[in-house]
Amino acid sequence: MSNHLSHLLAKWYPNRDNSDWVLATIYDTRGPCYRKPGAIMLFSSQGDQLGMLSGGCLESDIGINARKVMQTGQSILVCYDGSDEDDLSFHLGIGCGGTIYIMLQQINQNNNYLALDQVHNALRQRISGYYYQSIVKRNVTDKQTEQAYFEAEDITDLSATAALAESANPPHQVTSDTNGTNKDTLTDDQNTDWLASPIIPEPHLLVVGGGIDARPLVNIAQQLGWKVSLWDPRPANARKEYFSSVDNIIKGDASVLTSFAGQEDVNAAVLMSHNIEIDAQALQALATSQLKYLALLGPNNRKQQVITQAKVNEQSLPFVFAGPAGLSIGGTLPESIALAILSECHASLHNKKAQSISHVL
């Protein structure tokens, strides 16, 4: 199962009243950490553990604390300090060396499921917004102080991590890291801090071309937790038996892609039909869409043929147009080509440069 929030909540929601549940949220970090503020994990009394808050080294101990919350009904705050030799996380082998602050809260009908049902419904409808959680500065004994709610807000930037500054209750603020990027913020409200986490639906990828080489691309995208739709007008392609888990197999001619992309909130597209006319039809249909990224398989001379046949002006396209598609990782097989394309797509959607973090490349 994907670790994207929409997938976690889809697993939790139908079982929300079948057992006791606890929400674990990272509300602050210091130093290098695997997950950042806003990351959540769900624990049930039946042994379910949905999501992850570290690389796998802390989850068992977090689960033990979740059991305490189930037994007492009281929220607790825990801290794991990977730099302290006397701290449990150091002995558990947390490799990042940072400090993680986590709040654990019971989820039930009495506290309105901490508004997670609202978040779930919003993600199902591909509605973005902010999820606000009150973080009491000590272990919670007064249940009236436990609060969480969701506010819908149009977030078009998939990399957005800003808190709502305009919200009237509670007061919020926006901060930036050293690179000027907005991030999750703890906003002070006397004895309580408020964590504002962006809720953004998973990327929706449209694949044009349902041939053999589209299979690994679709599979990898789905492993990332993305929503994937497929269109190929040729009867022999895009067959359900080869793409059984794809979210949508679109029928009709290329003109249907225009309305589909708008109505279904498509973020990115990959044109890989191996047919110039089909790729051109798709490019023409998507030329005025709200896509953030579109990739075209094949060399540059083929790209020019597709553009000419589509009768579009490349410079006027409102999205990133990647052709030839993908990063230069030496890919020659369908699987590695799919990896190269999706890596570039992922970086583009999240406004990253796709550079080596260690600068070895």
Side-chain angles (χ1 to χ4, degrees), residues 215 235-246 249:
R215 298 178 199 175
N237 291 55
R239 299 175 67 87
K240 189 66 176 178
E241 56 262 39
Y242 299 130
F243 298 96
S244 58
S245 59
V246 75
I249 294 182

Side-chain angles (χ1 to χ4, degrees), residues 164-175:
L164 272 177
E166 302 89 317
S167 182
N169 181 31
H172 302 293
Q173 63 188 22
V174 178
T175 63

Side-chain angles (χ1 to χ4, degrees), residues 122-162:
L123 287 171
R124 285 186 61 196
Q125 299 174 55
R126 298 192 63 78
I127 295 173
S128 58
Y130 287 87
Y131 179 51
Y132 294 103
Q133 294 169 271
S134 62
I135 314 295
V136 179
K137 297 176 182 178
R138 58 189 178 279
N139 286 350
V140 175
T141 56
D142 180 6
K143 295 184 180 181
Q144 296 300 314
T145 62
E146 297 183 33
Q147 298 181 53
Y149 66 95
F150 172 77
E151 282 188 355
E153 177 77 10
D154 185 23
I155 305 176
T156 57
D157 181 3
L158 293 184
S159 64
T161 55

Side-chain angles (χ1 to χ4, degrees), residues 150-341:
F150 172 77
E151 282 188 355
E153 177 77 10
D154 185 23
I155 305 176
T156 57
D157 181 3
L158 293 184
S159 64
T161 55
L164 272 177
E166 302 89 317
S167 182
N169 181 31
H172 302 293
Q173 63 188 22
V174 178
T175 63
S176 300
D177 60 20
T178 55
N179 296 319
T181 303
N182 291 332
K183 60 182 180 180
D184 284 325
T185 305
L186 286 175
T187 61
D188 186 47
D189 182 19
Q190 296 181 342
N191 292 324
T192 303
D193 288 328
W194 286 87
L195 178 67
S197 302
I199 301 300
I200 304 173
E202 68 276 17
H204 186 175
L205 175 69
L206 169 63
V207 179
V208 172
I212 295 176
D213 61 338
R215 298 178 199 175
L217 186 135
V218 167
N219 291 338
I220 295 174
Q222 290 187 307
Q223 284 186 314
L224 289 170
W226 294 10
K227 183 176 181 179
V228 183
S229 295
L230 186 65
W231 176 76
D232 193 318
R234 298 165 293 191
N237 291 55
R239 299 175 67 87
K240 189 66 176 178
E241 56 262 39
Y242 299 130
F243 298 96
S244 58
S245 59
V246 75
D247 294 278
N248 300 292
I249 294 182
I250 306 166
K251 304 297 183 181
D253 59 26
S255 63
V256 303
L257 300 180
T258 304
S259 57
F260 181 86
Q263 295 170 3
E264 300 297 327
D265 187 30
V266 176
N267 305 108
V270 178
L271 311 186
M272 53 187 308
S273 71
H274 300 280
N275 181 287
I276 291 177
E277 182 178 356
I278 291 176
D279 283 350
Q281 290 173 355
L283 176 59
Q284 186 178 59
L286 298 169
T288 59
S289 69
Q290 298 300 309
L291 294 180
K292 301 298 182 183
Y293 169 93
L294 184 144
L296 176 64
L297 198 66
N300 190 61
N301 65 328
R302 184 180 186 279
K303 171 186 174 183
Q304 298 308 316
Q305 294 179 60
V306 171
I307 291 174
T308 299
Q309 190 155 332
K311 298 179 181 179
V312 299
N313 182 347
E314 181 179 357
Q315 283 67 41
S316 67
L317 293 173
F319 43 73
V320 172
F321 184 24
L327 301 179
S328 178
I329 62 172
T332 58
L333 298 174
E335 293 81 4
S336 55
I337 292 172
L339 176 63
I341 294 173

